[in-house]
Amino acid sequence: MTTILAVRRGNEVALGGDGQVTMAEKVISKGDARKVRRIGEGKVISGFAGGTADAFTLLERLEGKLEQYSGQLLRSCVELAKEWRTDRYLRRLEAMLIVADKDQTLMVSGLGDVIEPEALEGGGVIGIGSGGNYAQAAALALYQNTDLSAEEIVRKALTIAADIDIYTNHNLIVETIKN
């Protein structure tokens, strides 16, 4: 399990996650897993929760869709979700994705969901993974009650989630895109 969090505020979107890898109740890696990365020629930031090999397969497919649809993130995610839901091989994959570009933040699931976070004044917040709800709640409180940047909110909220969720650690990777 893991925690992935995206915050969009003003002209910045930040996406972050921890580096812990678990298998059932056992910690396999304490901090060097990279669950947040850039795709789509560096124009899209992505994070995943769930099976690592499954997520890499999906990210590879998403990159293909981004090429096919000229970098259109929403269309690429919708096409990936449709394929993920209907393809016999893909529908067995267990992972969730958050992806963002300069204009949109989306969560994509194997149930066919492509969800944009609830719009807040000037942005939005969305989290996935075992600590996703903790991180999202902390990020919403910070978003509404501080003037912190998107990146600062992601870092603080992920730290709070890591203090609560046993499947999340403090080894954070955060990527940002600024307009």
Side-chain angles (χ1 to χ4, degrees), residues 114-166:
V114 177
I115 298 171
E116 193 164 14
E118 182 178 347
L120 301 172
E121 188 175 321
V125 174
I126 194 163
I128 59 172
S130 59
N133 290 337
Y134 305 123
Q136 187 170 340
L140 285 168
L142 291 165
Y143 191 101
Q144 294 169 353
N145 296 295
T146 71
D147 291 326
L148 296 173
S149 70
E151 181 177 1
E152 291 169 320
I153 291 172
V154 166
R155 288 187 183 282
K156 288 183 182 297
L158 286 172
T159 299
I160 291 167
D163 290 341
I164 299 168
D165 181 44
I166 62 170

